[in-house]
């Protein structure tokens, strides 16, 4: 493992920020302080953190409806994200996008996306751009197991393989598509095996283990950067909350969920591993927890104090201006 203490602390800060940001918005939605509903990424933090640790602002990421974790790991400003969820003018998309449309081109975040599978072809197009312009950049598509049944997945993998594009497809297999267990709708045990149809390299990572994701994503991203083509990286993971805030989760066993939450929490696994190996002190992790908590509280305060966008601005920043 070639991670320094600084890298490990950065990884923990990323995962803790995702967790704290989403625990806060879950609370805000449930108590009526924030509108709408959210798709929470809690439980899957090690995937976004492990992959994005290898990317810079000139690499791009295309996300999903469950996109807060990808945005935070890619460096999108948390205060701007919070204001965006509140629909305020100070939001990262001026309050007009909301949870499923957070984007920040300066950070290489092409956007969360309400259309299942759509980010896969966006990342493929971005990888083609990087290849043609010889930027040395890599594109990453995050998507779920359900999205791997979409035509966009199959068409994109085919083109990426034919053209040897610098792209990594990260399938976050969390065991469910909405309220349907993956095995009801996906006939293969490992989604990674779908890459064989496109003569593409694949890899399976334990999506609850930051280090495993970090190492496997690192190899895939390095190969893509060197012009050696795409990879389909399947990360086996689990979402601790429902499909969206308010989902009663009648479709899944409480015992199984509890087992994942108690025994496979990516933050707890990370902490045990790095503290037992003497790589990071538990006290330093607690101090990160405190920093993150204060940052999230300040973000909520700033968002609630900010104005809503001027109705006059409704036709700006859209594709077709009046
Ligand atoms: C094209 C399209 N079809 C259906 C939906 C409705 N929908 C929203 S999320 C979702 C499930 C997606 O499952 P998966 O890709 O496994 O992602 P997860 O929610 O598990 O992260 C569906 C079917 C949609 N938003 N877009």
């Amino acid at each position: 493992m070639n991670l320094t203490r600084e890298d490990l602390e950065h990884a923990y800060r990323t995962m803790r920020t995702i967790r704290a940001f989403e625990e806060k918005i879950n609370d805000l939605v449930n108590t009526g302080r924030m509108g709408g509903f959210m798709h929470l990424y809690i439980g899957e933090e090690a995937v976004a953190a492990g992959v994005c640790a290898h990317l810079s602002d000139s690499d791009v990421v295309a996300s999903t409806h469950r996109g807060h974790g990808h945005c935070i790991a890619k460096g999108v400003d948390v205060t701007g994200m919070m204001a965006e969820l509140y629909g305020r003018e100070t939001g990262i998309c001026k309050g007009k996008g909301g949870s499923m449309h957070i984007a920040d081109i300066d950070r290489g975040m092409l956007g969360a996306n309400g259309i299942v599978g759509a980010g896969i072809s966006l990342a493929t197009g971005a990888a083609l751009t990087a290849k043609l312009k010889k930027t040395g950049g890599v594109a990453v598509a995050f998507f779920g197991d359900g999205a791997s049944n979409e035509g966009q997945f199959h068409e994109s993998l085919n083109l990426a393989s034919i053209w040897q594009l610098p792209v990594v497809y990260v399938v976050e297999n969390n065991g469910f598509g909405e309220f349907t267990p993956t095995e009801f709708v996906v006939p293969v045990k490992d989604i990674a095996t779908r890459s064989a149809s496109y003569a593409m390299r694949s890899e399976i990572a334990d999506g609850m283990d930051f280090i495993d994701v970090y190492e496997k994503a690192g190899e895939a991203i390095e190969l893509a950067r060197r012009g050696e083509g795409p990879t389909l990286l399947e990360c086996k993971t689990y979402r601790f909350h429902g499909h969206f805030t308010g989902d009663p989760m009648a479709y899944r066993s409480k015992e199984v969920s509890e087992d994942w939450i108690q025994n496979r929490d990516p933050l707890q696994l990370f902490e045990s591993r790095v503290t037992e190996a003497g790589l990071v002190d538990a006290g330093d992790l607690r101090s990160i927890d405190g920093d993150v908590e204060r940052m999230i509280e300040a973000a909520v305060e700033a968002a609630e104090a900010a104005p809503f966008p001027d109705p006059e601005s409704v036709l700006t920043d859209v594709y077709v201006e009046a």
Side-chain angles (χ1 to χ4, degrees), residues 39 44 65-66 114-116 143-147 150 172 174 176-178 239 243:
H39 302 89
E44 306 188 26
H65 54 286
R66 202 175 299 289
I115 302 170
V116 169
F143 53 97
D145 39 277
E150 290 283 347
E172 302 178 309
N174 61 16
F176 297 92
E178 288 190 331
R239 60 166 157 74
H243 173 59

Side-chain angles (χ1 to χ4, degrees), residues 37 47 50 65 101 160 173 177 201 223 240 248-249 251 269 318:
F37 63 76
V47 182
H65 54 286
H101 301 97
N173 186 350
R201 182 178 175 273
L223 287 170
F240 288 2
M249 289 189 278
Y251 53 89
L269 292 175
V318 290

Side-chain angles (χ1 to χ4, degrees), residues 5-317:
R5 176 180 299 257
E6 244 178 24
D7 294 334
L8 292 168
E9 287 183 359
H10 176 77
Y12 180 78
R13 186 179 293 275
T14 303
M15 293 194 287
R16 174 57 65 198
T17 304
I18 299 170
R19 177 72 55 98
F21 180 86
E22 290 207 327
E23 281 176 343
K24 178 50 93 178
I25 61 172
N26 189 37
D27 187 46
L28 292 168
V29 169
N30 288 336
T31 53
R33 268 169 78 186
M34 181 181 272
F37 63 76
M38 308 289 163
H39 302 89
L40 301 181
Y41 191 70
I42 291 176
E44 306 188 26
E45 295 92 341
V47 182
V51 173
C52 293
H54 298 281
L55 304 177
S56 72
D57 286 350
S58 48
D59 298 313
V60 298
V61 160
S63 174
T64 67
H65 54 286
R66 202 175 299 289
H68 308 142
H70 310 137
C71 292
I72 290 171
K74 195 66 176 61
V76 179
D77 174 52
V78 169
T79 306
M81 282 178 63
M82 188 65 82
E84 188 60 34
L85 300 192
Y86 269 97
R88 305 302 167 115
E89 196 179 72
T90 49
I92 201 84
C93 299
K94 301 182 187 169
K96 300 185 208 174
S99 169
M100 279 189 274
H101 301 97
I102 293 179
D104 185 353
I105 301 303
D106 293 341
R107 295 275 87 78
M109 168 43 70
L110 299 182
N113 206 312
I115 302 170
V116 169
I120 306 173
S121 34
L122 289 179
T124 306
L128 177 60
T129 303
K131 179 166 177 143
L132 293 177
K133 291 191 168 171
K134 299 186 172 52
T135 64
V138 169
V140 172
F142 288 101
F143 53 97
D145 39 277
S148 78
N149 282 343
E150 290 283 347
Q152 303 206 44
F153 168 84
H154 297 277
E155 294 172 41
S156 296
L157 265 69
N158 188 61
L159 278 179
S161 183
I162 288 290
W163 292 336
Q164 287 294 285
L165 299 181
V167 56
V168 179
Y169 298 104
V170 180
V171 56
E172 302 178 309
N173 186 350
N174 61 16
F176 297 92
E178 288 190 331
F179 323 112
T180 306
T182 309
E183 63 267 23
F184 281 32
V185 288
V186 176
V188 291
K189 182 176 151 284
D190 298 317
I191 291 169
T193 60
R194 290 186 151 177
S195 72
S197 306
Y198 307 106
M200 186 184 293
R201 182 178 175 273
S202 72
E203 192 62 86
I204 298 177
D206 176 352
M208 310 310 264
D209 178 356
F210 169 84
I211 309 279
D212 198 41
V213 175
Y214 177 85
E215 287 177 344
K216 288 171 180 161
E219 199 183 349
I221 291 166
E222 182 51 34
L223 287 170
R225 219 182 277 294
R226 285 209 307 259
E228 293 182 31
T231 297
L232 173 60
L233 172 63
E234 178 178 5
C235 298
K236 308 271 192 192
T237 181
Y238 196 78
R239 60 166 157 74
F240 288 2
H241 285 251
H243 173 59
F244 49 68
T245 47
D247 169 5
M249 289 189 278
Y251 53 89
R252 72 183 198 187
S253 136
K254 253 205 163 94
E255 291 72 41
V256 174
S257 297
E258 272 312 300
D259 187 44
W260 279 91
I261 293 166
Q262 295 307 322
N263 303 314
R264 305 280 300 132
D265 183 324
L267 276 86
Q268 280 173 17
L269 292 175
F270 180 89
E271 176 160 348
S272 317
R273 188 154 172 190
V274 299
T275 54
E276 279 161 22
L279 298 168
V280 179
D281 299 330
D284 292 338
L285 299 182
R286 294 298 76 77
S287 138
I288 293 174
D289 292 347
D291 291 351
V292 169
E293 207 56 46
R294 284 187 289 279
M295 174 177 67
I296 302 291
E297 285 308 323
V300 170
E301 221 171 280
E304 291 191 346
F308 285 104
D310 184 341
E312 293 282 304
S313 70
V314 73
L315 292 178
T316 57
D317 305 312

